[in-house]
Coordinates of all heavy atoms in Angstrom, one line a residue:
M1 N 6.9 -9.5 -19.2 CA 7.1 -8.1 -18.8 C 7.9 -8.0 -17.6 O 7.7 -8.9 -16.7 CB 5.7 -7.5 -18.7 CG 5.8 -6.0 -18.5 SD 4.3 -5.2 -18.6 CE 3.6 -5.1 -16.9
F2 N 8.7 -7.0 -17.5 CA 9.6 -6.8 -16.4 C 9.8 -5.3 -16.1 O 10.0 -4.5 -17.1 CB 10.9 -7.6 -16.5 CG 11.9 -7.4 -15.3 CD1 11.6 -8.1 -14.1 CD2 12.9 -6.6 -15.4 CE1 12.4 -7.9 -13.0 CE2 13.8 -6.4 -14.3 CZ 13.5 -7.1 -13.1
R3 N 9.9 -4.9 -14.9 CA 10.2 -3.5 -14.6 C 11.1 -3.5 -13.3 O 10.9 -4.4 -12.4 CB 9.0 -2.8 -14.3 CG 9.2 -1.3 -13.9 CD 7.9 -0.6 -13.7 NE 8.3 0.7 -13.2 CZ 7.4 1.5 -12.7 NH1 6.2 1.2 -12.7 NH2 7.8 2.7 -12.3
A4 N 12.2 -2.7 -13.3 CA 13.1 -2.6 -12.2 C 13.5 -1.2 -12.0 O 13.7 -0.4 -12.9 CB 14.3 -3.5 -12.3
Q5 N 13.5 -0.7 -10.7 CA 13.8 0.7 -10.4 C 14.5 0.8 -9.1 O 14.0 0.2 -8.1 CB 12.5 1.5 -10.4 CG 12.6 3.0 -10.1 CD 11.3 3.7 -10.2 OE1 10.3 3.2 -10.6 NE2 11.4 4.9 -9.8
I6 N 15.5 1.6 -9.0 CA 16.1 1.9 -7.7 C 15.7 3.2 -7.2 O 15.6 4.2 -8.0 CB 17.7 1.9 -7.9 CG1 18.3 0.6 -8.3 CG2 18.4 2.4 -6.6 CD1 19.8 0.5 -8.4
S7 N 15.2 3.2 -6.0 CA 14.7 4.4 -5.3 C 15.4 4.6 -4.0 O 15.9 3.6 -3.3 CB 13.2 4.3 -5.0 OG 12.5 4.0 -6.2
Q8 N 15.6 5.8 -3.6 CA 16.1 6.1 -2.3 C 15.0 6.3 -1.3 O 14.3 7.4 -1.4 CB 17.1 7.3 -2.3 CG 17.8 7.7 -1.0 CD 18.7 6.5 -0.6 OE1 19.4 5.9 -1.5 NE2 18.8 6.2 0.7
L9 N 14.7 5.4 -0.5 CA 13.6 5.5 0.5 C 14.2 5.9 1.8 O 15.4 5.8 2.0 CB 12.8 4.2 0.5 CG 12.2 3.7 -0.8 CD1 11.6 2.3 -0.5 CD2 11.3 4.6 -1.4
A10 N 13.3 6.1 2.8 CA 13.7 6.5 4.2 C 14.5 5.4 4.7 O 15.4 5.6 5.5 CB 12.5 6.8 5.0
S11 N 14.1 4.1 4.4 CA 14.9 3.0 4.9 C 16.2 2.6 4.2 O 16.9 1.8 4.6 CB 13.9 1.7 4.9 OG 13.5 1.5 3.5
G12 N 16.4 3.4 3.1 CA 17.7 3.2 2.4 C 17.4 2.9 0.9 O 16.3 2.9 0.5
P13 N 18.5 2.5 0.2 CA 18.2 2.3 -1.3 C 17.5 1.0 -1.5 O 17.8 0.0 -0.9 CB 19.7 2.2 -1.8 CG 20.5 1.8 -0.6 CD 19.9 2.5 0.5
T14 N 16.5 1.1 -2.3 CA 15.7 -0.1 -2.6 C 15.6 -0.3 -4.2 O 15.3 0.6 -4.9 CB 14.2 0.1 -2.1 OG1 14.4 0.3 -0.7 CG2 13.4 -1.1 -2.3
L15 N 15.9 -1.6 -4.6 CA 15.7 -2.0 -5.9 C 14.4 -2.8 -6.0 O 14.2 -3.9 -5.5 CB 16.9 -2.9 -6.4 CG 16.7 -3.6 -7.7 CD1 16.5 -2.6 -8.9 CD2 17.8 -4.5 -8.0
K16 N 13.3 -2.2 -6.6 CA 12.0 -2.8 -6.7 C 12.0 -3.5 -8.1 O 12.2 -2.9 -9.1 CB 10.9 -1.8 -6.6 CG 9.5 -2.4 -6.7 CD 8.5 -1.7 -5.9 CE 7.1 -2.3 -6.0 NZ 7.0 -3.6 -5.5
M17 N 11.6 -4.8 -8.0 CA 11.4 -5.5 -9.3 C 9.9 -6.0 -9.4 O 9.3 -6.3 -8.4 CB 12.3 -6.8 -9.3 CG 13.8 -6.4 -9.3 SD 14.7 -7.9 -9.5 CE 16.4 -7.3 -8.9
E18 N 9.3 -6.0 -10.7 CA 8.1 -6.4 -10.9 C 8.0 -7.3 -12.1 O 8.7 -6.9 -13.1 CB 7.2 -5.2 -11.1 CG 7.1 -4.2 -10.0 CD 6.4 -2.9 -10.3 OE1 5.9 -2.8 -11.4 OE2 6.4 -2.0 -9.4
G19 N 7.3 -8.3 -12.1 CA 7.1 -9.2 -13.3 C 8.0 -10.4 -13.2 O 8.4 -10.9 -12.2
S20 N 8.4 -10.8 -14.4 CA 9.2 -12.1 -14.6 C 10.7 -11.6 -14.7 O 11.2 -11.0 -15.6 CB 8.9 -12.8 -15.8 OG 7.5 -13.2 -15.8
L21 N 11.5 -12.1 -13.7 CA 13.0 -11.8 -13.6 C 13.6 -13.0 -14.4 O 14.0 -14.1 -13.9 CB 13.5 -11.8 -12.2 CG 14.9 -11.6 -11.9 CD1 15.3 -10.2 -12.5 CD2 15.2 -11.6 -10.5
V22 N 13.7 -12.8 -15.7 CA 14.3 -13.9 -16.7 C 15.3 -13.3 -17.6 O 15.2 -12.1 -17.9 CB 13.1 -14.5 -17.4 CG1 12.2 -15.2 -16.5 CG2 12.4 -13.5 -18.3
G23 N 16.2 -14.1 -18.0 CA 17.1 -13.8 -19.1 C 17.7 -12.5 -19.1 O 18.3 -12.0 -18.2
Q24 N 17.6 -11.8 -20.3 CA 18.2 -10.4 -20.5 C 17.6 -9.5 -19.5 O 18.3 -8.5 -19.0 CB 17.9 -10.0 -21.9 CG 18.7 -8.7 -22.2 CD 20.2 -8.9 -22.2 OE1 20.8 -9.9 -22.4 NE2 20.8 -7.8 -21.7
W25 N 16.3 -9.6 -19.1 CA 15.7 -8.7 -18.2 C 16.5 -8.8 -16.8 O 16.7 -7.8 -16.1 CB 14.3 -8.9 -18.0 CG 13.5 -8.5 -19.2 CD1 13.9 -7.6 -20.2 CD2 12.1 -8.9 -19.6 NE1 12.9 -7.4 -21.1 CE2 11.8 -8.2 -20.7 CE3 11.3 -9.7 -18.9 CZ2 10.6 -8.4 -21.3 CZ3 10.0 -9.9 -19.6 CH2 9.7 -9.3 -20.8
A26 N 16.8 -10.0 -16.5 CA 17.6 -10.2 -15.1 C 18.9 -9.5 -15.2 O 19.4 -8.8 -14.3 CB 17.7 -11.7 -14.8
E27 N 19.6 -9.6 -16.4 CA 20.9 -9.0 -16.6 C 20.7 -7.5 -16.5 O 21.7 -6.8 -16.0 CB 21.6 -9.5 -17.9 CG 22.0 -10.9 -17.9 CD 23.1 -11.3 -16.9 OE1 23.9 -10.3 -16.5 OE2 23.1 -12.4 -16.4
E28 N 19.7 -7.0 -17.1 CA 19.5 -5.5 -17.1 C 19.2 -5.0 -15.6 O 19.8 -3.9 -15.3 CB 18.4 -5.1 -18.0 CG 18.7 -5.2 -19.5 CD 17.6 -4.8 -20.4 OE1 16.8 -4.1 -20.1 OE2 17.7 -5.4 -21.6
A29 N 18.6 -5.8 -14.9 CA 18.3 -5.4 -13.5 C 19.6 -5.4 -12.7 O 19.9 -4.5 -12.0 CB 17.4 -6.5 -12.8
K30 N 20.5 -6.3 -13.0 CA 21.9 -6.3 -12.4 C 22.7 -5.1 -12.8 O 23.3 -4.5 -12.0 CB 22.7 -7.6 -12.8 CG 24.0 -7.8 -12.2 CD 24.7 -9.0 -12.7 CE 26.1 -9.1 -12.0 NZ 26.8 -10.4 -12.5
S31 N 22.5 -4.7 -14.1 CA 23.2 -3.5 -14.5 C 22.8 -2.2 -13.8 O 23.6 -1.3 -13.8 CB 23.1 -3.4 -16.0 OG 21.9 -2.9 -16.4
L32 N 21.6 -2.2 -13.4 CA 21.1 -1.0 -12.7 C 22.0 -0.8 -11.3 O 22.3 0.3 -11.0 CB 19.6 -1.2 -12.2 CG 18.6 -0.9 -13.2 CD1 17.2 -1.2 -12.6 CD2 18.6 0.5 -13.7
V33 N 22.3 -1.9 -10.8 CA 23.1 -1.8 -9.5 C 24.6 -1.7 -9.8 O 25.3 -1.1 -9.1 CB 22.9 -3.2 -8.7 CG1 23.8 -3.3 -7.5 CG2 21.5 -3.3 -8.4
T34 N 25.1 -2.3 -11.0 CA 26.5 -2.2 -11.3 C 27.0 -1.0 -12.0 O 28.2 -0.9 -12.3 CB 27.0 -3.5 -12.0 OG1 26.2 -3.6 -13.2 CG2 26.8 -4.7 -11.1
N35 N 26.0 -0.1 -12.4 CA 26.5 1.1 -13.0 C 27.3 2.0 -12.2 O 28.0 2.9 -12.7 CB 25.2 1.9 -13.5 CG 24.6 1.3 -14.8 OD1 25.2 0.6 -15.5 ND2 23.4 1.6 -15.0
G36 N 27.4 1.8 -11.0 CA 28.2 2.6 -10.0 C 28.6 1.7 -8.9 O 28.6 0.5 -9.0
I37 N 28.9 2.3 -7.7 CA 29.2 1.5 -6.6 C 27.9 0.9 -6.1 O 26.9 1.6 -6.0 CB 29.8 2.4 -5.5 CG1 31.2 3.0 -6.1 CG2 30.1 1.7 -4.2 CD1 31.8 4.1 -5.1
V38 N 27.9 -0.4 -5.6 CA 26.7 -1.0 -5.2 C 26.3 -0.2 -3.9 O 27.2 0.0 -3.0 CB 27.0 -2.5 -4.8 CG1 25.7 -3.1 -4.2 CG2 27.4 -3.2 -6.1
P39 N 25.1 0.3 -3.8 CA 24.7 1.1 -2.7 C 24.7 0.2 -1.3 O 24.2 -0.9 -1.3 CB 23.2 1.4 -3.0 CG 23.0 1.1 -4.4 CD 24.0 0.2 -4.8
K40 N 25.3 0.7 -0.4 CA 25.4 0.1 0.9 C 23.9 0.0 1.5 O 23.2 0.9 1.5 CB 26.3 0.8 1.9 CG 26.5 0.1 3.2 CD 27.5 0.7 4.1 CE 27.7 0.0 5.3 NZ 29.1 -0.2 5.7
G41 N 23.6 -1.2 2.0 CA 22.3 -1.4 2.6 C 21.2 -1.6 1.7 O 20.0 -1.3 2.0
L42 N 21.6 -2.1 0.4 CA 20.6 -2.2 -0.6 C 19.5 -3.3 -0.3 O 19.9 -4.3 0.2 CB 21.2 -2.7 -1.9 CG 20.3 -2.9 -3.1 CD1 19.6 -1.6 -3.6 CD2 21.1 -3.5 -4.2
V43 N 18.2 -2.8 -0.4 CA 17.1 -3.8 -0.2 C 16.6 -4.1 -1.6 O 16.2 -3.2 -2.3 CB 16.1 -3.2 0.8 CG1 14.9 -4.1 0.9 CG2 16.7 -2.9 2.2
V44 N 16.4 -5.3 -1.9 CA 15.8 -5.8 -3.2 C 14.3 -6.3 -2.8 O 14.1 -7.2 -2.1 CB 16.6 -6.9 -3.8 CG1 16.0 -7.3 -5.1 CG2 18.0 -6.5 -4.0
D45 N 13.4 -5.5 -3.3 CA 12.0 -5.8 -3.1 C 11.5 -6.8 -4.2 O 11.3 -6.4 -5.4 CB 11.1 -4.6 -3.1 CG 9.6 -4.8 -2.7 OD1 9.3 -6.0 -2.7 OD2 9.0 -3.8 -2.5
L46 N 11.2 -8.0 -3.8 CA 10.7 -9.1 -4.7 C 9.2 -9.3 -4.6 O 8.8 -10.2 -5.3 CB 11.4 -10.3 -4.5 CG 13.0 -10.4 -4.6 CD1 13.6 -11.7 -4.2 CD2 13.3 -10.0 -6.0
T47 N 8.5 -8.5 -3.9 CA 7.1 -8.7 -3.7 C 6.3 -8.9 -4.9 O 5.4 -9.7 -5.0 CB 6.6 -7.5 -2.8 OG1 7.3 -7.4 -1.6 CG2 5.1 -7.7 -2.5
D48 N 6.6 -8.1 -6.0 CA 5.7 -8.1 -7.2 C 6.4 -9.0 -8.3 O 6.1 -8.8 -9.4 CB 5.5 -6.7 -7.7 CG 4.6 -6.0 -6.7 OD1 3.6 -6.5 -6.1 OD2 4.8 -4.7 -6.5
V49 N 7.4 -9.7 -8.0 CA 8.1 -10.6 -8.9 C 7.2 -11.9 -9.1 O 6.8 -12.6 -8.0 CB 9.5 -11.0 -8.6 CG1 10.1 -12.2 -9.4 CG2 10.4 -9.8 -8.6
S50 N 6.8 -12.3 -10.3 CA 5.9 -13.5 -10.5 C 6.6 -14.7 -11.0 O 6.1 -15.8 -10.9 CB 4.9 -13.1 -11.5 OG 5.5 -12.6 -12.7
Y51 N 7.8 -14.5 -11.4 CA 8.6 -15.7 -11.9 C 10.0 -15.4 -11.9 O 10.5 -14.3 -12.3 CB 8.1 -16.2 -13.3 CG 8.9 -17.4 -13.8 CD1 8.6 -18.6 -13.3 CD2 9.8 -17.3 -14.8 CE1 9.2 -19.7 -13.8 CE2 10.5 -18.3 -15.3 CZ 10.2 -19.6 -14.8 OH 10.9 -20.7 -15.2
V52 N 11.0 -16.4 -11.6 CA 12.4 -16.3 -11.7 C 12.9 -17.5 -12.4 O 12.7 -18.6 -11.9 CB 12.9 -16.1 -10.2 CG1 14.5 -16.0 -10.3 CG2 12.4 -14.9 -9.5
D53 N 13.7 -17.3 -13.5 CA 14.4 -18.4 -14.1 C 15.8 -18.5 -13.6 O 16.2 -17.9 -12.7 CB 14.3 -18.3 -15.6 CG 15.3 -17.2 -16.2 OD1 15.9 -16.5 -15.4 OD2 15.4 -17.0 -17.4
S54 N 16.6 -19.4 -14.2 CA 17.9 -19.7 -13.7 C 18.8 -18.5 -13.8 O 19.7 -18.3 -12.9 CB 18.6 -20.9 -14.4 OG 18.7 -20.6 -15.7
V55 N 18.6 -17.7 -14.8 CA 19.4 -16.4 -14.9 C 19.0 -15.5 -13.8 O 19.9 -14.9 -13.1 CB 19.3 -15.8 -16.3 CG1 20.1 -14.4 -16.3 CG2 19.8 -16.7 -17.4
G56 N 17.8 -15.4 -13.6 CA 17.3 -14.5 -12.5 C 17.8 -15.0 -11.2 O 18.2 -14.1 -10.2
E57 N 17.8 -16.3 -10.9 CA 18.4 -16.7 -9.6 C 19.8 -16.4 -9.4 O 20.2 -16.2 -8.4 CB 18.2 -18.4 -9.6 CG 16.8 -18.8 -9.5 CD 16.6 -20.3 -9.6 OE1 17.6 -21.0 -9.9 OE2 15.5 -20.8 -9.3
K58 N 20.6 -16.5 -10.6 CA 22.1 -16.1 -10.5 C 22.2 -14.6 -10.1 O 23.1 -14.3 -9.3 CB 22.7 -16.4 -11.8 CG 22.9 -17.9 -12.0 CD 23.6 -18.2 -13.4 CE 23.6 -19.7 -13.6 NZ 24.0 -20.0 -14.9
V59 N 21.3 -13.8 -10.7 CA 21.4 -12.3 -10.3 C 21.0 -12.2 -8.9 O 21.7 -11.4 -8.2 CB 20.5 -11.6 -11.3 CG1 20.3 -10.2 -10.8 CG2 21.1 -11.6 -12.7
L60 N 19.9 -12.8 -8.4 CA 19.6 -12.7 -7.0 C 20.7 -13.2 -6.1 O 21.0 -12.5 -5.1 CB 18.3 -13.4 -6.7 CG 17.1 -13.0 -7.4 CD1 15.9 -13.8 -7.2 CD2 16.8 -11.4 -7.1
T61 N 21.3 -14.3 -6.4 CA 22.4 -14.8 -5.6 C 23.6 -13.9 -5.6 O 24.2 -13.6 -4.6 CB 22.9 -16.2 -6.1 OG1 21.7 -17.1 -6.1 CG2 23.9 -16.9 -5.3
W62 N 23.9 -13.3 -6.8 CA 25.0 -12.3 -6.8 C 24.7 -11.0 -6.0 O 25.4 -10.6 -5.2 CB 25.2 -11.8 -8.3 CG 26.2 -10.7 -8.3 CD1 27.6 -10.9 -8.4 CD2 25.9 -9.3 -8.5 NE1 28.2 -9.6 -8.5 CE2 27.1 -8.6 -8.5 CE3 24.8 -8.5 -8.5 CZ2 27.3 -7.2 -8.5 CZ3 24.9 -7.2 -8.5 CH2 26.1 -6.5 -8.5
L63 N 23.4 -10.6 -6.1 CA 23.0 -9.4 -5.2 C 23.2 -9.7 -3.7 O 23.7 -8.9 -3.0 CB 21.5 -9.0 -5.5 CG 21.3 -8.3 -6.8 CD1 19.8 -8.4 -7.2 CD2 21.8 -6.9 -6.8
A64 N 22.9 -10.9 -3.3 CA 23.1 -11.3 -1.9 C 24.6 -11.3 -1.5 O 25.0 -10.9 -0.5 CB 22.4 -12.6 -1.6
S65 N 25.4 -11.7 -2.6 CA 26.8 -11.8 -2.4 C 27.5 -10.5 -2.2 O 28.6 -10.4 -1.6 CB 27.5 -12.6 -3.4 OG 27.6 -11.8 -4.6
V66 N 26.8 -9.4 -2.7 CA 27.4 -8.1 -2.6 C 26.7 -7.3 -1.4 O 26.9 -6.1 -1.3 CB 27.3 -7.3 -3.9 CG1 28.3 -8.0 -4.9 CG2 26.0 -7.1 -4.4
G67 N 25.9 -8.0 -0.6 CA 25.4 -7.4 0.6 C 24.0 -7.0 0.6 O 23.5 -6.5 1.6
A68 N 23.2 -7.3 -0.4 CA 21.8 -6.9 -0.5 C 21.0 -7.8 0.4 O 21.3 -8.9 0.6 CB 21.3 -7.0 -1.9
S69 N 19.9 -7.3 0.9 CA 18.9 -8.1 1.7 C 17.6 -8.0 0.9 O 17.4 -7.1 0.0 CB 18.7 -7.6 3.1 OG 18.2 -6.2 3.1
F70 N 16.7 -8.9 1.1 CA 15.6 -9.1 0.2 C 14.3 -8.9 1.1 O 14.1 -9.4 2.1 CB 15.7 -10.5 -0.4 CG 16.8 -10.5 -1.3 CD1 18.0 -10.8 -0.8 CD2 16.7 -10.4 -2.7 CE1 19.2 -10.9 -1.7 CE2 17.7 -10.4 -3.5 CZ 19.0 -10.7 -3.0
M71 N 13.3 -8.2 0.4 CA 11.9 -8.1 0.9 C 11.0 -9.0 0.0 O 11.0 -8.9 -1.1 CB 11.5 -6.6 0.9 CG 10.3 -6.4 1.6 SD 9.7 -4.6 1.5 CE 11.2 -3.7 1.4
A72 N 10.3 -9.9 0.8 CA 9.3 -10.7 0.1 C 8.0 -10.8 0.8 O 7.9 -11.5 1.8 CB 10.0 -12.1 -0.1
K73 N 7.0 -10.2 0.3 CA 5.7 -10.1 1.0 C 4.7 -11.0 0.4 O 3.5 -11.0 0.9 CB 5.2 -8.7 1.0 CG 6.0 -7.7 1.8 CD 5.4 -6.3 1.8 CE 6.3 -5.3 2.5 NZ 5.8 -3.9 2.4
T74 N 5.1 -11.8 -0.6 CA 4.2 -12.8 -1.2 C 4.7 -14.1 -1.1 O 5.9 -14.4 -0.8 CB 3.9 -12.5 -2.7 OG1 5.2 -12.6 -3.4 CG2 3.4 -11.1 -3.0
V75 N 3.8 -15.2 -1.2 CA 4.2 -16.6 -1.0 C 5.3 -16.9 -2.1 O 6.4 -17.5 -1.7 CB 3.0 -17.5 -1.1 CG1 3.5 -18.9 -1.1 CG2 2.0 -17.2 0.0
Y76 N 5.1 -16.5 -3.3 CA 6.1 -16.9 -4.3 C 7.5 -16.3 -4.0 O 8.5 -16.9 -4.0 CB 5.7 -16.4 -5.7 CG 6.7 -16.9 -6.8 CD1 6.9 -18.2 -7.2 CD2 7.6 -15.9 -7.3 CE1 7.8 -18.6 -8.1 CE2 8.5 -16.3 -8.3 CZ 8.7 -17.6 -8.7 OH 9.6 -18.0 -9.6
A77 N 7.5 -14.9 -3.7 CA 8.7 -14.3 -3.5 C 9.4 -14.9 -2.3 O 10.7 -15.1 -2.2 CB 8.5 -12.8 -3.3
A78 N 8.7 -15.1 -1.2 CA 9.2 -15.8 0.0 C 9.8 -17.1 -0.3 O 10.8 -17.5 0.3 CB 8.1 -15.8 1.1
S79 N 9.2 -17.9 -1.2 CA 9.7 -19.2 -1.5 C 11.0 -19.1 -2.3 O 11.9 -19.9 -2.1 CB 8.6 -20.1 -2.2 OG 8.5 -19.5 -3.6
V80 N 11.1 -18.1 -3.1 CA 12.4 -17.9 -3.9 C 13.5 -17.6 -2.9 O 14.6 -18.2 -2.9 CB 12.2 -16.8 -4.9 CG1 13.5 -16.4 -5.5 CG2 11.2 -17.2 -6.1
C81 N 13.2 -16.7 -1.9 CA 14.2 -16.3 -0.9 C 14.6 -17.5 -0.1 O 15.8 -17.7 0.2 CB 13.6 -15.2 0.0 SG 13.5 -13.6 -0.8
E82 N 13.7 -18.3 0.3 CA 14.0 -19.5 1.1 C 14.8 -20.5 0.2 O 15.8 -21.0 0.8 CB 12.7 -20.1 1.6 CG 12.9 -21.4 2.5 CD 11.6 -21.9 3.0 OE1 10.6 -21.2 3.1 OE2 11.7 -23.1 3.3
R83 N 14.4 -20.8 -1.0 CA 15.0 -21.8 -1.8 C 16.5 -21.4 -2.1 O 17.4 -22.2 -2.1 CB 14.3 -21.9 -3.1 CG 14.9 -23.0 -4.0 CD 13.9 -23.5 -5.1 NE 13.1 -22.3 -5.7 CZ 13.6 -21.5 -6.7 NH1 14.8 -21.6 -7.1 NH2 12.7 -20.5 -7.1
L84 N 16.7 -20.1 -2.4 CA 18.1 -19.6 -2.7 C 18.8 -19.1 -1.4 O 20.0 -18.7 -1.5 CB 18.0 -18.4 -3.6 CG 17.3 -18.7 -5.0 CD1 17.2 -17.4 -5.8 CD2 18.1 -19.8 -5.8
Q85 N 18.2 -19.3 -0.3 CA 18.8 -18.9 1.0 C 19.3 -17.4 0.9 O 20.4 -17.1 1.3 CB 19.9 -19.8 1.4 CG 19.5 -21.2 1.5 CD 20.6 -22.2 2.0 OE1 21.7 -21.9 1.8 NE2 20.2 -23.3 2.4
L86 N 18.4 -16.5 0.5 CA 18.7 -15.1 0.4 C 18.4 -14.5 1.8 O 17.4 -14.8 2.4 CB 17.8 -14.4 -0.7 CG 18.0 -15.0 -2.1 CD1 17.0 -14.3 -3.0 CD2 19.4 -14.9 -2.5
P87 N 19.2 -13.5 2.2 CA 19.0 -12.8 3.4 C 17.8 -12.0 3.4 O 17.7 -11.1 2.6 CB 20.2 -12.0 3.7 CG 20.8 -11.8 2.3 CD 20.4 -13.0 1.6
V88 N 16.9 -12.2 4.3 CA 15.5 -11.5 4.3 C 15.7 -10.2 5.1 O 16.3 -10.1 6.2 CB 14.4 -12.3 4.8 CG1 13.1 -11.5 5.0 CG2 14.2 -13.5 4.0
H89 N 15.2 -9.1 4.5 CA 15.4 -7.7 5.1 C 14.5 -7.6 6.3 O 13.3 -8.0 6.3 CB 14.9 -6.6 4.1 CG 14.9 -5.2 4.7 ND1 16.1 -4.6 5.0 CD2 14.0 -4.5 4.9 CE1 15.7 -3.4 5.5 NE2 14.5 -3.3 5.5
R90 N 15.1 -7.3 7.4 CA 14.3 -7.1 8.7 C 14.2 -5.6 9.0 O 15.2 -5.0 9.2 CB 15.0 -7.9 9.9 CG 15.2 -9.3 9.6 CD 13.9 -10.0 9.9 NE 14.3 -11.5 9.7 CZ 13.4 -12.4 9.2 NH1 12.2 -12.0 8.8 NH2 13.7 -13.6 9.0
K91 N 13.0 -5.1 9.2 CA 12.8 -3.8 9.6 C 13.2 -3.6 11.1 O 13.1 -4.6 11.8 CB 11.4 -3.3 9.5 CG 11.0 -3.1 8.0 CD 9.6 -2.7 7.9 CE 9.2 -2.5 6.5 NZ 7.8 -2.1 6.3
A92 N 13.7 -2.5 11.5 CA 14.0 -2.3 12.9 C 12.7 -2.3 13.7 O 11.7 -2.0 13.2 CB 14.6 -0.8 13.1
P93 N 12.8 -2.9 14.9 CA 11.7 -2.9 15.7 C 10.9 -1.6 16.0 O 11.7 -0.6 16.1 CB 12.1 -3.7 17.1 CG 13.6 -3.6 17.0 CD 14.0 -3.3 15.6
V94 N 9.7 -1.5 16.0 CA 9.0 -0.3 16.2 C 8.9 -0.2 17.8 O 8.6 -1.0 18.6 CB 7.5 -0.4 15.7 CG1 6.7 0.8 16.1 CG2 7.6 -0.7 14.3
C95 N 9.4 1.0 18.2 CA 9.4 1.3 19.7 C 8.0 1.8 20.0 O 7.4 2.5 19.3 CB 10.3 2.5 19.9 SG 12.1 2.1 19.6
S96 N 7.5 1.3 21.1 CA 6.3 1.7 21.6 C 6.3 2.1 23.1 O 7.1 1.5 23.8 CB 5.2 0.5 21.4 OG 5.5 -0.5 22.2
E97 N 5.6 3.2 23.4 CA 5.6 3.6 24.8 C 4.6 2.9 25.5 O 3.4 2.7 25.0 CB 5.4 5.1 24.8 CG 6.6 5.9 24.2 CD 6.3 7.3 24.3 OE1 5.6 7.8 25.3 OE2 6.8 8.0 23.5
Q98 N 4.8 2.5 26.7 CA 3.8 1.9 27.6 C 3.5 2.9 28.7 O 4.4 3.5 29.3 CB 4.4 0.5 28.2 CG 4.7 -0.4 27.2 CD 5.1 -1.7 27.8 OE1 5.3 -1.9 29.0 NE2 5.3 -2.7 27.0
F99 N 2.2 2.9 28.9 CA 1.8 3.9 29.9 C 1.2 3.2 31.1 O 0.7 2.1 31.2 CB 0.7 4.8 29.3 CG 1.0 5.7 28.2 CD1 0.9 5.2 26.9 CD2 1.7 6.8 28.5 CE1 1.4 6.0 25.8 CE2 2.2 7.7 27.4 CZ 1.9 7.3 26.1

């Protein structure tokens, strides 16, 4: 099972993926991004991805090559980002006032 959806969040355009990023599903996820101009500042959320095959790896590498950064809040997703050397999305530092 796989699900992918692009949303416009306050932090910018986000492609959220869930499930197994494999074969044809990986290609369909890529087509979500290539249906128009690739959104500037695209963040790809891999937190709920449970498995990535070689086709999925190629799609993730392509997304990185067009400027996407990646969010990975689970051990598996973080290991995929590390192995493929994907740029990890960094949130802007939170400003705090000191009294």
Side-chain angles (χ1 to χ4, degrees):
M1 184 164 99
F2 180 74
R3 179 178 175 188
Q5 179 178 354
I6 294 182
S7 302
Q8 185 63 40
L9 303 178
S11 59
T14 301
L15 172 60
K16 177 149 180 70
M17 298 187 199
E18 302 172 3
S20 297
L21 182 61
V22 297
Q24 187 61 35
W25 289 340
E27 292 295 335
E28 288 180 26
K30 181 179 178 181
S31 73
L32 281 176
V33 176
T34 58
N35 281 337
I37 297 171
V38 176
K40 185 172 181 136
L42 179 65
V43 175
V44 179
D45 185 350
L46 299 176
T47 300
D48 295 320
V49 170
S50 56
Y51 180 74
V52 179
D53 72 357
S54 62
V55 176
E57 289 177 352
K58 288 176 185 172
V59 169
L60 295 176
T61 302
W62 175 82
L63 286 166
S65 76
V66 296
S69 61
F70 296 81
M71 188 182 328
K73 297 179 182 176
T74 61
V75 173
Y76 180 75
S79 70
V80 169
C81 288
E82 183 178 333
R83 183 168 37 84
L84 298 177
Q85 299 180 347
L86 303 174
V88 177
H89 176 69
R90 304 277 184 216
K91 292 183 180 178
V94 176
C95 296
S96 61
E97 295 182 26
Q98 295 183 359
F99 297 95

